């Protein structure tokens, strides 16, 4: 039997208007896994590509000599993966460190979330934003991550990631806190 799910939250932001935030993220892959390490941060990225998916990024990152996709979660935009679908990668399922931040502390203890898209020149979709909010609302209490520890990649490394058009304050305003 499926666990009881509260109704979705419908709220508004100046940028996005009415957003329906699901009570739990629509996840491809296993979300419910035993926590085998301490998670202190959530680090938000964009792919800086028009399209993509966890599988695409996995191939690309392996070509760089990495273990595989550097993120714990990838949120699709409808080009390569469904819009608003949250893909849990092997790093989350196996509770492995990330390869996303470029700073050891944030790779070791930061959950890396990548939204597919280029937010220097565009914006995340409403479904991506709602999925990100649902994912963060799930991760925060489970991993005991305070809102102050939800970071943009550019806050920990010299980069524009996740782009100048990423609506950080809209996203934070939709969180359960």
């Amino acid at each position: 039997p499926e666990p009881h799910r509260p109704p979705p939250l419908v709220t508004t932001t100046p940028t996005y208007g009415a957003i329906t935030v699901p009570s739990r993220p629509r996840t491809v892959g296993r979300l419910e896994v035993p926590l085998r390490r301490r998670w202190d941060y959530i680090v938000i990225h964009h792919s800086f590509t028009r399209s993509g998916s966890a599988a695409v990024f996995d191939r690309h990152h392996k070509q760089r000599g990495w273990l595989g996709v550097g993120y714990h979660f990838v949120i699709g935009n409808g080009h390569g993966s469904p819009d608003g679908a949250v893909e849990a990668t092997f790093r989350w399922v196996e509770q492995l460190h990330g390869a996303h931040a470029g700073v050891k502390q944030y790779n070791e203890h930061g959950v890396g979330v990548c939204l597919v898209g280029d937010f220097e020149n565009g914006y995340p979709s409403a479904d991506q934003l709602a999925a990100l909010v649902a994912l963060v609302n799930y991760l925060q209490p489970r991993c005991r991550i305070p809102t102050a520890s939800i970071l943009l990649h550019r806050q920990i490394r010299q980069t524009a990631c996740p782009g100048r058009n990423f609506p950080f304050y809209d996203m934070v305003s939709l969180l359960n806190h």
Side-chain angles (χ1 to χ4, degrees):
E2 190 167 316
H4 169 71
R5 293 185 181 190
L9 168 71
V10 178
T11 187
T12 61
T13 76
T15 306
Y16 282 84
I19 295 280
T20 301
V21 177
S23 57
R24 291 180 54 92
R26 183 183 66 176
T27 309
V28 178
R30 290 178 32 211
L31 181 64
E32 297 289 339
V33 297
L35 297 179
R36 293 193 302 269
R37 71 185 311 121
R38 188 183 86 234
W39 299 108
D40 296 326
Y41 312 97
I42 296 169
V43 182
I44 301 170
H45 305 262
H46 71 153
S47 65
F48 204 51
T49 60
R50 183 184 172 281
S51 64
S53 67
V56 168
F57 302 147
D58 188 65
R59 281 192 301 276
H60 178 70
H61 290 174
K62 282 179 178 173
Q63 289 171 354
R64 295 174 120 181
W66 298 359
L67 186 60
V69 61
Y71 310 108
H72 297 91
F73 296 96
V74 175
I75 301 178
N77 68 351
H79 301 279
S81 56
D83 191 16
V86 176
E87 296 181 89
T89 75
F90 76 95
R91 289 189 187 271
W92 177 252
V93 172
E94 297 173 26
Q95 292 289 285
L96 298 176
H97 65 85
H100 57 87
V103 178
K104 184 176 180 181
Q105 169 186 358
Y106 298 100
N107 279 337
E108 289 290 326
H109 300 288
V111 178
V113 180
C114 180
L115 286 80
V116 177
D118 170 4
F119 308 140
E120 276 294 299
N121 298 300
Y123 296 85
S125 72
D127 285 345
Q128 282 184 298
L129 184 63
L132 177 62
V133 170
L135 179 61
V136 171
N137 280 337
Y138 170 81
L139 291 171
Q140 276 193 285
R142 181 133 196 267
C143 301
R144 298 186 187 138
I145 299 172
T147 301
S149 293
I150 300 168
L151 304 171
L152 302 176
H153 188 201
R154 68 174 167 253
Q155 292 176 287
I156 56 176
R157 187 157 187 197
Q158 185 140 4
T159 177
C161 184
R164 67 175 169 245
N165 296 321
F166 181 79
F168 181 72
Y169 295 107
D170 282 346
M171 188 266 306
V172 169
S173 75
L174 297 172
L175 296 175
N176 289 339
H177 300 289

